Amino acid sequence: MEWLIGVWDAFGQYILYVLLMLYLMYMANVISGYFESAAEYRNEMLQNQQVQIDIQRHMLKALNRIDVTTKNQ
């Protein structure tokens, strides 16, 4: 048990430093994963919004054609 105390006295600061670096790297990975998934979600929502705009544009074109054909009759 004495050797463990000696190792801790000699390398304890470095061990804590390494553990802190590992924890910070893990948290950076978690945070970057969060932002990456948020960006993917945003891109998906923008694509869905573009699809909705395209659908509305086609519906307006169809309504305009119906309106023109009813006026001509």
Side-chain angles (χ1 to χ4, degrees):
M1 200 64 178
E2 290 290 326
W3 65 271
L4 186 60
I5 295 172
V7 168
W8 182 255
D9 286 342
F11 301 109
Q13 181 180 358
Y14 300 108
I15 293 170
L16 289 176
Y17 177 74
V18 168
L19 289 175
L20 177 65
M21 287 297 113
L22 288 173
Y23 176 73
L24 290 176
M25 288 169 52
Y26 167 75
M27 288 307 293
N29 199 6
V30 167
I31 291 169
S32 68
Y34 169 76
F35 283 116
E36 188 174 314
S37 64
E40 289 173 4
Y41 177 77
R42 180 181 173 275
N43 288 338
E44 188 176 322
M45 288 299 108
L46 287 175
Q47 285 176 350
N48 289 342
Q49 187 178 19
Q50 187 60 45
V51 167
Q52 289 296 323
I53 290 170
D54 291 343
I55 290 171
Q56 290 174 356
R57 187 174 296 137
H58 287 296
M59 288 175 66
L60 282 173
K61 284 181 182 178
L63 285 173
N64 284 335
R65 282 192 210 116
I66 291 170
D67 191 38
V68 169
T69 55
T70 53
K71 282 183 182 176
N72 289 338
Q73 292 174 353

